[in-house]
Amino acid sequence: MVGKNCFAIASDRRLGVQLQTIATDFQRVFKIHDKLYIGLSGLATDAQTLWVFRILDSFWYQRLVFRHKLYQLREERDMKPETFASLVSALLYEKRFGPYFCQPVIAGLGDNDEPFICTMDCIGAKELAKDFVVSGTASESLYGACESMYKPNMEPEELFETISQALQASVDRDCLSGWGGYVLIV
Amino acid sequence: MTGSMDLPAKGGFDFDLCRRNNMLEKNGLKLPGFLKTGTTIVGLVFQDGVVLGADTRATEGPIVADKNCEKIHFMAPNIYCCGAGTAADTEAVTDMVSSQLQLHRYATGRESRVITALTLLKSHLFRYQGHVSAALVLGGVDCTGPHLHTVYPHGSTDTLPFATMGSGSLAAMSVFESRFKEGLTREEGIELVSDAIRAGIFNDLGSGSNVDVCVITKGKTEYLRNHQLPNPRTYASSKGFSFTKGQTEVLSTKIIPLKQKVEVAEGGDAMEE
């Protein structure tokens, strides 16, 4: 979610296989650099999912950190969020006919601390937004909750409350998510 | 992890994970849905050039993922392309052809021709036998005059004076068929295109939100983003939700101050030989 010169990115903490919970403190939001974060949700749209592969795809972020570090070495600066979003989109589209099962949410502060958020489907179709982006199993109720709770130009404190309430409200209505949330405000 | 991390890929598609995904699908894992642009895209030729129009809704199954996405993609300063189908495919294909056209412009030193873009698009789509699901309306004005083409996902193309594509194409085509005539003026052209898109927006469930229009004439292109907003958000209450601080139960907080990056200006003396 975008606020005034800040952004917030939040995820739930449950990791599960079908209806069985494996972990209740699973980290899904990863840091690329100080002002750029990516959240990876593995989609579980039905019954039998082989959790090993879903988790491996969540660790795909290590590949992204690798690419960013290469970029830092060459350019001697951090990647802009727009550039990073294009990178992730290209990497996902390469696997167009055998995709990774993850939907990333990218949030960062660009030039002049201008917040940038975007999400992508599993083959890299970028979706930029000026207010909020959502992904995951509870995405439908997240759309609804964010649509009603979001206000433009919120300060970090209020942004935190809003995003937590939206996340908790949606996740309460989804069996596959839960166990609280991690919220990062930059 | 599958794949090596030594070299970045050379480009093009990578079929590494296909076998793994086939195995997963056999075990019952359903592939996540792609972002589609169930769309209305239109184009028509008027007396001085081409007008392209598109709606702005991007859907993911029955849910609207993006209420204001851009479906009119830049190909060259005098050529624009509207895309329907899988969003990632239309974006990737138009970006790729746009880059190829730019390189071609540098190599030849001339303005790009619409037929060049058309050939690049159709040969790429045909090579992938329709699996790259991009249905496009390509329009532009070059030295040979105004051109409008449609490109289907399997690689076939049509050259037409007016065209519609996408799920809302029938609604838009009905508007065109009744009101199109040769030699429209710019205002008439824009109005007809907007009406056609609005027909798609209100009658097709896969299209919605706003109308984008792009007018291309010899030497000038005007991209009227959100030309009409027939679906404003009037239902939201002005007060909205207000959460007081402390309403959310916080288990733990960690505050990390970001280090200020100090820019060191070297000396100030220019390197003099």
Side-chain angles (χ1 to χ4, degrees), chain A residues 16-169:
Chain A
V17 174
Q18 297 167 228
L19 299 177
Q20 190 178 54
T21 306
I22 307 277
T24 59
D25 54 1
F26 189 59
Q27 173 86 333
R28 279 192 186 84
V29 178
F30 306 107
K31 179 168 125 163
I32 303 292
H33 66 78
D34 273 347
K35 292 185 180 173
L36 180 58
Y37 284 80
I38 181 168
L40 292 169
S41 70
L43 297 190
T45 47
D46 75 288
Q48 293 173 342
T49 56
L50 293 178
W51 62 281
V52 174
F53 290 105
R54 278 205 299 131
I55 297 175
L56 283 183
D57 280 345
S58 308
F59 282 100
W60 188 66
Y61 83 96
Q62 287 174 341
R63 233 178 246 222
L64 299 173
V65 171
F66 162 66
R67 296 293 288 261
H68 178 251
K69 284 190 176 155
L70 267 183
Y71 183 92
Q72 261 181 327
L73 287 172
R74 286 196 190 117
E75 303 257 334
E76 293 179 2
R77 62 178 176 89
D78 287 333
M79 231 191 230
K80 276 194 237 180
E82 295 85 358
T83 318
F84 184 69
S86 296
L87 170 70
V88 177
S89 176
L91 285 177
L92 288 173
Y93 193 70
E94 247 177 21
K95 303 273 191 257
R96 163 70 170 90
F97 297 115
Y100 291 109
F101 294 117
C102 59
Q103 261 195 351
V105 166
I106 295 168
L109 287 180
D111 297 331
N112 303 324
D113 287 347
E114 195 58 50
F116 170 87
I117 49 171
C118 93
T119 183
M120 283 168 218
D121 67 348
C122 59
I123 45 174
K126 260 188 292 195
E127 210 186 287
L128 309 170
K130 299 224 172 36
D131 39 19
F132 58 85
V133 289
V134 305
S135 95
T137 50
S139 59
E140 295 173 17
S141 48
L142 274 169
Y143 274 123
C146 290
E147 189 76 58
S148 25
M149 296 186 193
Y150 176 79
K151 277 193 301 225
N153 282 329
M154 283 187 278
E155 294 292 331
E157 307 268 317
E158 209 193 336
L159 184 65
F160 165 71
E161 293 292 333
T162 311
I163 199 176
S164 323
Q165 291 291 326
L167 181 72
Q168 283 183 318

Side-chain angles (χ1 to χ4, degrees), chain B residues 51 57 108 115 125 162 181 187 204 209 223-224 235 272:
Chain B
V51 185
R57 174 182 285 184
T108 57
I115 207 99
L125 292 174
F162 58 95
K181 55 184 205 289
E187 284 65 34
D204 173 42
S209 302
Y223 184 14
L224 305 165
Y235 51 85
E272 281 172 16

